[in-house]
């Protein structure tokens, strides 16, 4: 008899495969995705008690197909299907029973016509096999709001005339960039939750890593996929040391590194080394290399900051942006002094992309504190605390400010 956890893992693996099978047979991605969700729920209830069928993929496809037939038999559904028939004919070539359309489903869920929140929600449901309620809980939104977001996303894909095929070679690179960005956003929301009482959500980071492993298996020659997986692993390896016994945030420099996951670090370092050997580097590979340097230091004092700064110099050329500049300012401060870091940080003051985030004030507070300007540092920490919606981060920043009173 399989445990609930084993059944859950199998269902998440099969979810996009069954969606692909039904779409190739019936078209209409939106209806097929809904039907597969109901089949997944039935399996989650039945399989732990009754056992997993000999052919679980066929079982899911059969149950989902019955759900489609029941829906299409209703008069209202038939009328709606006739009205929308031309909008979502995604059927494509191939033997549905033998094909694994996971990659195609993933690219469809990350279609460029969708907003980032819609891409995240649809990916987690159709590719991750999560229920609407689970996704809503993870992102701290009402289930009804999340359901509407997913419904609108599928309607947007319809109107965009999307086909159930992989992007052509000329578009593949840009479309893959979007897919990687979506997976990284899922990971980051899990690792540093943007709001609420929890510092992190291990379910989201685990799902992001699982999906990125899946993508690497499907696209083994894409070095940026390998780089992203390495970055996730090297970052997630620190998770146990990021929070104190009371759930409070522990910054990188103060973490007990004996709590870092050595096995995960070893895998991440191996992956980034493999990716960097192949040729031109991308932003995820460089970020993974930076994470690897941090991981190789036994203590914060042992960190090779000149090497990290050199890597940020590369990253700024490969993928310039305010977040890179923000992080590079910390490395500049460690190598050349806090005043140099503050000078670089000042270049972000008029960047509208940083106006809504607390991170600019948080880093400024840290560098001002290093420079000995405790009054200005305290004010910066308090500004950052007012801007963040994360309770652990708010508490941490407030305590930093109080310490300087």
């Amino acid at each position: 008899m399989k445990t609930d956890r084993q059944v859950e893992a199998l269902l998440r693996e099969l979810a996009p495969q069954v969606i692909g099978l039904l779409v190739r047979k019936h078209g209409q991605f939106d209806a097929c995705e809904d039907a597969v969700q109901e089949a997944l729920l039935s399996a989650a209830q039945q399989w732990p008690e009754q056992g997993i069928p000999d052919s679980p993929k066929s079982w899911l496809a059969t149950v989902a197909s019955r759900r489609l037939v029941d829906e299409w038999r209703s008069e209202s559904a038939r009328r709606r299907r006739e009205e929308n028939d031309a909008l979502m004919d995604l059927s494509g070539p191939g033997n549905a029973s033998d094909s694994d359309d996971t990659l195609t489903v993933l690219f469809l869920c990350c279609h460029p016509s969708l907003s980032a929140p819609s891409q995240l929600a649809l990916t987690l449901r159709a590719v991750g096999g999560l229920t609407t309620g689970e996704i809503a809980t993870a992102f701290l939104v009402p289930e009804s709001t999340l359901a509407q977001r997913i419904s609108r996303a599928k309607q947007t894909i319809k109107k965009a005339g999307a086909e159930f095929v992989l992007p052509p070679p000329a578009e593949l690179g840009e479309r893959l960039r979007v897919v990687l960005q979506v997976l990284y956003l899922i990971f980051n929301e899990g690792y540093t939750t943007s709001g609420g009482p929890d510092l992190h959500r291990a379910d989201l980071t685990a799902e992001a890593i699982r999906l990125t492993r899946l993508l690497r298996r499907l696209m083994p020659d894409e070095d940026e996929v390998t780089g992203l997986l390495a970055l996730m692993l090297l970052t997630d390896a620190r998770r146990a040391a990021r929070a104190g016994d009371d759930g409070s945030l522990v910054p990188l420099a103060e973490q007990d590194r004996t709590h870092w996951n050595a096995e995960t670090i070893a895998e991440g370092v191996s992956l980034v080394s493999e990716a960097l050997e192949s040729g031109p580097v991308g932003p995820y590979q460089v970020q993974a290399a930076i994470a690897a340097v941090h991981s190789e230091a036994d203590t914060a004092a042992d960190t090779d900051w000149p090497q990290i700064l050199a890597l940020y110099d590369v990253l700024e050329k490969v993928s310039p942006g305010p977040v890179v500049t923000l992080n590079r300012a910390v490395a500049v401060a460690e190598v050349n002094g806090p005043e140099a870091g503050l000078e670089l940080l000042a270049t972000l003051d008029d960047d509208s992309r940083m106006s809504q985030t607390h991170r600019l004030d948080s880093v400024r507070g840290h560098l001002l504190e290093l420079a000995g300007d405790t009054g200005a540092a305290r004010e910066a920490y308090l500004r950052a605390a007012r801007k963040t919606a994360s309770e652990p981060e708010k508490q941490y920043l407030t305590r930093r400010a109080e310490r300087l009173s």
Side-chain angles (χ1 to χ4, degrees):
M1 190 71 66
K2 295 292 186 180
T3 65
D4 289 356
R5 190 174 297 276
Q6 289 172 312
V7 169
E8 179 183 337
L10 178 59
L11 291 177
R12 289 188 177 185
E13 177 184 346
L14 291 176
Q17 299 179 33
V18 179
I19 290 172
L21 191 155
L22 262 66
V23 171
R24 288 197 179 278
K25 183 176 181 181
H26 302 291
Q28 302 189 37
F29 172 79
D30 53 346
C32 291
E33 198 275 332
D34 286 338
V36 171
Q37 276 290 318
E38 294 203 12
L40 293 173
L41 289 173
S42 296
Q45 295 168 354
Q46 297 178 34
W47 290 4
E49 295 296 328
Q50 301 176 9
I52 294 176
D54 292 338
S55 179
K57 182 175 178 180
S58 296
W59 190 98
L60 290 169
T62 299
V63 173
S65 294
R66 287 174 183 162
R67 166 67 176 79
L68 283 173
V69 171
D70 290 342
E71 173 67 15
W72 289 342
R73 279 176 176 163
S74 70
E75 183 63 31
S76 60
R78 182 160 54 249
R79 189 164 54 246
R80 186 165 60 251
R81 187 171 72 257
E82 290 170 355
E83 293 170 352
N84 297 332
D85 185 63
L87 291 178
M88 201 57 179
D89 183 11
L90 294 179
S91 56
N95 186 328
S97 63
D98 295 332
S99 61
D100 180 353
D101 292 304
T102 297
L103 191 60
T104 306
V105 174
L106 180 57
F107 272 90
L108 187 63
C109 291
C110 298
H111 195 275
S113 64
L114 300 176
S115 66
S118 295
Q119 291 170 335
L120 266 63
L122 195 55
T123 297
L124 285 171
R125 203 172 106 133
V127 187
L130 276 68
T131 66
T132 303
E134 288 171 332
I135 303 168
T137 298
F139 287 95
L140 304 177
V141 297
E143 186 172 347
S144 58
T145 300
L146 203 287
Q148 291 174 357
R149 184 178 297 168
I150 291 173
S151 178
R152 286 196 300 267
K154 290 191 284 192
Q155 292 301 315
T156 299
I157 291 175
K158 274 187 180 183
K159 293 176 182 177
E163 297 181 353
F164 195 68
V165 294
L166 287 173
E171 299 177 16
L172 188 61
E174 177 60 23
R175 292 287 298 277
L176 178 60
R177 184 193 65 79
V178 175
V179 170
L180 294 177
Q181 183 180 43
V182 168
L183 295 178
Y184 194 36
L185 285 172
I186 294 171
F187 177 84
N188 279 335
E189 180 58 31
Y191 191 73
T192 305
T193 305
S194 58
D198 298 318
L199 180 60
H200 50 243
R201 292 182 177 272
D203 53 344
L204 277 183
T205 55
E207 185 60 20
I209 290 171
R210 186 188 74 84
L211 291 174
T212 308
R213 285 191 189 279
L214 173 63
L215 182 60
R216 182 170 181 263
R217 192 187 79 215
L218 297 170
M219 305 183 78
D221 296 328
E222 291 290 343
D223 292 328
E224 271 291 79
V225 177
T226 303
L228 178 57
L229 178 57
L231 175 59
M232 289 180 178
L233 292 171
L234 289 164
T235 304
D236 194 55
R238 309 175 198 148
R239 178 158 43 90
R242 289 184 68 234
D245 294 337
D246 59 353
S248 60
L249 174 66
V250 180
L252 179 63
E254 299 173 19
Q255 289 175 14
D256 182 349
R257 301 187 178 208
T258 63
H259 292 164
W260 288 3
N261 189 315
E263 183 178 341
T264 303
I265 289 173
E267 182 184 3
V269 170
S270 175
L271 286 171
V272 71
S273 299
E274 173 189 329
L276 291 173
E277 289 175 355
S278 301
V281 298
Y284 293 114
Q285 294 160 260
V286 180
Q287 290 177 78
I290 292 169
V293 175
H294 280 295
S295 299
E296 290 167 348
D298 292 332
T299 67
D302 294 330
T303 304
D304 188 345
W305 282 107
Q307 185 179 0
I308 288 177
L309 179 56
L311 287 167
Y312 271 119
D313 290 342
V314 174
L315 183 59
E316 197 160 48
K317 293 177 182 177
V318 172
S319 182
V323 175
V324 174
T325 301
L326 183 72
N327 291 327
R328 183 171 174 268
V330 175
V332 167
E334 292 287 349
V335 175
N336 300 321
E339 291 80 5
L342 286 165
E343 184 178 346
L344 178 58
L345 213 59
T347 65
L348 298 174
D349 287 343
D350 296 326
D351 194 318
S352 60
R353 293 170 291 182
M354 301 301 291
S355 62
Q356 300 303 314
T357 178
H358 68 286
R359 302 199 182 283
L360 179 57
D361 283 317
S362 177
V363 172
R364 177 174 279 118
H366 172 63
L367 298 189
L368 286 167
E369 185 178 355
L370 290 177
D373 192 344
T374 56
R378 181 177 181 277
E379 292 304 313
Y381 283 137
L382 290 174
R383 284 196 304 272
R386 288 192 293 268
K387 289 180 180 179
T388 182
S390 166
E391 286 301 323
E393 287 190 332
K394 185 185 297 289
Q395 293 170 10
Y396 166 76
L397 290 163
T398 302
R399 282 197 298 268
R400 299 284 296 199
E402 291 173 346
R403 192 179 64 184
L404 299 176
S405 298

